[in-house]
Amino acid sequence: MKPLSVILDARLQSGASGGVESVVIGLASGLSSLTDSDERYRFLTYEGQDDWLGPFLAGPCSALPIAAPSAPDARPAWRRAASRLTPRPLRRAARRVLRPTLPPPPSDGTIEAAGADLMHFTFQNGFLTAVPSIYHPHDLQHLHLPAYFDSEERRRREVWYRALCAQAAMVAVTSSATRADVVEHYALPPDKVQVVPLAPVIGAYEPPGPAEARSLAARLGVPAAFALYPAQTWPHKNHLALLDALALLRREQDLIVPLVCTGAHNAFFPTIARRAAELGLTDQVVFLGFVSPRELRALYALARAVVVPSLFEAASAPLWEAFLAGVPAACSNVTSLPAQAGDAALVFDPHDVRGIADAVARLWRDEPLRTALVERGALRVRAFTWDRTARHFRAHYRRLTGRLLTDADRAVLAAPPLL
């Protein structure tokens, strides 16, 4: 039998700053280290737009570049029809009604021509193919927090998620909580949905030394002591409640906790910036936007605490990263976060501003507590490595394509979920 050939979806433009590319980087790092067998892993990328991934590809891993999609030459008929209507609100309403919710597109033949035995869709998107596939829906936030999505996006997610889950030989999720959600909502056979926990992506980045970390922080203009929240400015990341908590501490306890926020600024960021200004926090909160991996590692190395007030997470990358970096953390008590935190982080209700403020104050003031949390966090995250994740997926790759399983493969597949 020919060597197993797996293609992983990494079609992302250079400079992208969402969270899902971290999964791809971690997988590339982990799979690149698996040199004890003859499998080949190729990452489907856009030509000239894969510089973010290249440094993590080695050994059995390589890029499979394809041409980036070009903009369409003409507007579709539904958009042309809507554009003829006046006034503008009527045009907007017509676009919402007329725009079709299209299913995932068919494969363009690239992976079939490349001889793929398995296609691993690492993003929430994908395409239709007869090649066996693994699909990551990541989470079903659009069902639980529908107000954060317009009706068109909710429809699109439902159409795409259902089609790609139905097509997949296996649906991969990061936690048992997400597994239960996906199995129930899409009526999938329970054994089709498998938990494969991910690891902190900063584990794939080379850490800077203390002097370099201080130099990078100085260049970014961050204070000497600060709390860190790495997250894009999506509404569900709950920056607003965290700002309210900081203002409460400043007002009632005269406690000023500088906050550094990283992550791409999207359409909700102006709302967050306005709230910070209204609360008088512009001198206390730094919004850095997207930072490089080395800069992020430097910020973790220097942070006094990490706070994750998110309203919804399949699993929190910043929480794992805090544990790995040796930073005490506090997080929300929603979805899988309490299970992920265990006894290694303070846990609060993300809707309770005073509860968030109390957790921040304890982290900031209580050095013995910080020391204890750091020790527990190191123990908690020890089992979550990209090598383990890569070996877990390799076992599934072999299982789904009828390859011979090793004793190690059978052991990892039979083990209960870590999260």
Side-chain angles (χ1 to χ4, degrees):
M1 186 176 290
K2 73 180 182 69
L4 176 60
S5 174
V6 179
I7 294 179
L8 297 93
D9 197 357
R11 293 170 299 159
L12 198 67
Q13 294 184 352
S14 297
S17 50
V20 181
E21 74 273 15
S22 299
V23 176
V24 179
I25 288 172
L27 284 172
S29 174
L31 291 170
S32 288
S33 69
L34 301 185
T35 57
D36 57 347
S37 58
D38 60 0
E39 287 96 349
R40 291 191 304 158
Y41 309 106
R42 287 174 291 177
F43 286 74
L44 194 65
T45 63
Y46 288 136
E47 291 176 346
Q49 299 180 357
D50 57 1
D51 55 317
W52 60 278
L53 181 60
F56 304 96
L57 298 177
C61 295
S62 60
L64 178 60
I66 61 172
S70 57
D73 294 330
R75 293 173 298 173
W78 66 267
R79 186 175 289 276
R80 292 197 302 272
S83 68
R84 291 193 289 268
L85 297 173
T86 56
R88 182 176 297 177
L90 185 57
R91 289 201 299 273
R92 288 200 207 98
R95 282 197 294 267
R96 286 194 295 270
V97 172
L98 294 173
R99 182 170 185 169
T101 302
L102 301 176
S107 171
D108 65 2
T110 297
I111 67 167
E112 291 82 1
D117 296 303
L118 185 74
M119 180 68 207
H120 187 163
F121 293 110
T122 59
F123 302 138
Q124 291 169 311
N125 294 327
F127 49 80
L128 301 179
T129 175
V131 174
S133 64
I134 294 176
Y135 175 58
H136 285 248
H138 289 291
D139 65 55
L140 304 186
Q141 184 196 150
H142 64 288
L143 300 177
H144 299 281
L145 300 176
Y148 293 150
F149 302 84
D150 62 31
S151 58
E152 181 182 317
E153 176 61 14
R154 292 197 299 271
R155 287 197 305 270
R156 189 200 69 80
R157 286 192 174 212
E158 280 299 284
V159 169
W160 281 57
Y161 287 15
R162 286 184 183 278
L164 294 171
C165 282
Q167 168 184 264
M170 170 182 146
V171 176
V173 295
T174 59
S175 67
S176 298
T178 304
R179 179 178 182 271
D181 209 11
V182 171
V183 166
E184 178 182 3
H185 183 67
Y186 294 122
L188 298 176
D191 61 354
K192 183 176 184 175
V193 185
Q194 296 290 324
V195 178
V196 184
L198 305 179
V201 72
I202 62 169
Y205 304 148
E206 186 69 23
E212 184 186 357
R214 289 192 296 271
S215 174
L216 288 169
R219 190 179 70 199
L220 293 171
V222 302
F226 58 89
L228 177 66
Y229 184 28
Q232 288 196 66
T233 56
W234 300 111
H236 79 276
K237 295 298 184 180
N238 207 24
H239 289 80
L240 297 182
L242 181 54
L243 295 177
D244 289 343
L246 295 180
L248 185 152
L249 290 175
R250 187 171 182 166
R251 182 175 64 252
E252 295 189 359
Q253 301 184 31
D254 198 26
L255 176 61
I256 297 176
V257 178
L259 175 68
V260 173
C261 296
T262 65
H265 295 169
N266 52 40
F268 193 66
F269 175 69
T271 301
I272 298 171
R274 278 196 302 273
R275 177 71 66 86
E278 291 165 358
L279 295 171
L281 297 176
T282 52
D283 62 338
Q284 189 176 329
V285 182
V286 179
F287 295 101
L288 293 177
F290 176 71
V291 297
S292 71
R294 206 156 185 82
E295 290 168 335
L296 183 60
R297 286 233 61 167
L299 292 170
Y300 273 112
L302 298 171
R304 192 166 183 173
V306 167
V307 186
V308 183
S310 179
L311 297 173
F312 198 95
E313 296 291 336
S316 171
L319 192 57
W320 282 150
E321 291 166 355
F323 293 168
L324 185 66
V327 188
C331 69
S332 303
N333 63 355
V334 299
T335 58
S336 64
L337 291 182
Q340 184 181 355
D343 66 351
L346 301 182
V347 177
F348 54 76
D349 179 347
H351 302 283
D352 178 7
V353 170
R354 192 167 295 278
I356 300 172
D358 288 345
V360 171
R362 289 182 65 196
L363 284 181
W364 197 254
R365 289 171 164 157
D366 192 336
E367 185 172 353
L369 172 65
R370 293 199 301 271
T371 300
L373 291 177
V374 167
E375 292 172 353
R376 295 172 198 163
L379 292 174
R380 184 81 182 98
V381 78
R382 184 179 295 173
F384 296 86
T385 67
W386 285 112
D387 178 77
R388 182 187 178 96
T389 298
R391 291 180 185 277
H392 203 156
F393 272 119
R394 183 174 68 175
H396 282 300
Y397 297 160
R398 291 170 175 173
R399 174 181 68 84
L400 294 171
T401 57
R403 263 49 176 194
L404 182 67
L405 298 181
T406 66
D407 289 343
D409 292 334
R410 284 188 284 270
V412 75
L413 293 177
L418 292 174
L419 184 60

